[in-house]
Amino acid sequence: ASPSYLHIEPTVLSFLRRRLEMPEQAETRQAIEAGFREYYDEIGEVLYHFLTSTQPQLLLLGRTVAGLEYDNLVTALNLGLAAQVSIAHPYFAVSHYLDATQDYQRGVVLAQEVATRLGTYPADTRAGPVGLERISVMDTLAKWEGQRKECEAARTSDQQALARLHALAQAGERLELLRDAAAVAEQRLEHVPVVEQENAAEVVPAEAHVACQLVVFEGAQQLGEVDEGALEPLVGGLAAGRRVEL
């Protein structure tokens, strides 16, 4: 049987939301939101590793749970953006799920919003690892735009990501690695022709995608090494609709 979750009655949910919106409940609401965000940050990290697993059963399990948890992951993502903290774990889990389901339209809308909101973070925050997260978001935006054959938009997103990569390199964030990645990206750009409508999906993403693969997934997001075997009970518990303590 397919896994399923229990749902709160809409009237009860509405009551709880109204209560938490009361001024005297502000501190409680903040604590709940912080706990929710941190919990799904960890879930997002787990799901990211399952969604990129080479083991078919774990990949399928990751997709199933990510589908069930999609709204919660996006809520955690939005809470992270509101708090102006790292959104790497929930975003990568969601982006890989959208890749798996080929829901590129929803991906484009999501990536555009996330990239825009990351741009509102303080300058000193954007100059650090969060700046790499923004580049990675723009990289996935370019990829999804290319899948939708939105050629000019995809190329623009790629070029903007590359420009930000250069800016971070000049600012000294992981300087040597970033400069190497930018050099590879520029070399790729020299060999990328003007994208034609009929083969956009094959050509895009271009230079920024290469750079982000080199930079972001080599540790900038601090996803860490995960033992898939040890995590299987955790994801299995989520698929069964059980709250698993982390």
Side-chain angles (χ1 to χ4, degrees):
S2 299
S4 60
Y5 282 6
L6 298 176
H7 296 275
I8 299 176
E9 283 289 338
T11 53
V12 176
L13 185 59
S14 177
F15 167 77
L16 292 174
R17 284 176 174 167
R18 287 199 305 271
R19 179 172 175 78
L20 287 174
E21 288 169 359
M22 297 172 65
E24 60 268 28
Q25 295 295 325
E27 187 175 343
T28 300
R29 180 185 179 92
Q30 290 173 1
I32 291 173
E33 289 179 345
F36 182 93
R37 172 172 53 79
E38 292 169 5
Y39 176 69
Y40 274 96
D41 186 76
E42 296 190 41
I43 295 300
E45 181 179 12
V46 173
L47 288 175
Y48 164 79
H49 285 282
F50 274 79
L51 288 164
T52 56
S53 174
T54 57
Q55 300 183 38
Q57 69 274 21
L58 297 182
L59 183 61
L60 178 60
L61 188 57
R63 290 177 181 177
T64 301
V65 176
L68 290 168
E69 294 283 9
Y70 182 87
D71 289 341
N72 287 330
L73 289 166
V74 172
T75 297
L77 173 60
N78 286 323
L79 289 173
L81 290 168
Q84 296 195 325
V85 297
S86 170
I87 48 80
H89 293 155
Y91 181 80
F92 287 140
V94 168
S95 68
H96 278 81
Y97 173 73
L98 294 175
D99 276 335
T101 58
Q102 300 184 356
D103 194 346
Y104 306 127
Q105 173 58 34
R106 186 157 56 164
V108 166
V109 173
L110 178 68
Q112 286 174 337
E113 179 182 356
V114 173
T116 298
R117 294 180 67 182
L118 285 173
T120 67
Y121 281 31
D124 58 341
T125 303
R126 297 199 309 272
V130 166
L132 296 176
E133 294 180 18
R134 190 181 183 198
I135 292 170
S136 185
V137 171
M138 297 186 71
D139 178 44
T140 55
L141 172 60
K143 176 178 64 177
W144 288 327
E145 287 170 334
Q147 293 288 353
R148 289 177 50 78
K149 301 189 184 301
E150 298 170 359
C151 309
E152 290 303 320
R155 191 169 184 83
T156 297
S157 296
D158 270 336
Q159 291 171 339
Q160 289 176 346
L162 181 58
R164 286 179 171 79
L165 188 67
H166 276 294
L168 282 180
Q170 292 300 319
E173 173 64 25
R174 296 173 62 87
L175 187 60
E176 183 176 352
L177 179 58
L178 283 167
R179 283 180 176 168
D180 290 346
V184 171
E186 287 177 336
Q187 185 178 14
R188 169 74 175 269
L189 178 60
E190 291 175 0
H191 297 89
V192 174
V194 176
V195 181
E196 299 293 338
Q197 189 75 13
E198 58 270 20
N199 66 354
E202 299 177 7
V203 177
V204 177
E207 68 283 352
H209 185 66
V210 175
C212 288
Q213 289 297 323
L214 289 174
V215 176
V216 175
F217 295 106
E218 284 295 326
Q221 306 302 341
Q222 299 178 344
L223 290 171
E225 295 296 328
V226 174
D227 182 348
E228 292 179 347
L231 290 176
E232 188 169 4
L234 167 61
V235 178
L238 287 170
R242 298 193 301 272
R243 174 81 155 84
V244 181
E245 295 299 329
L246 290 173

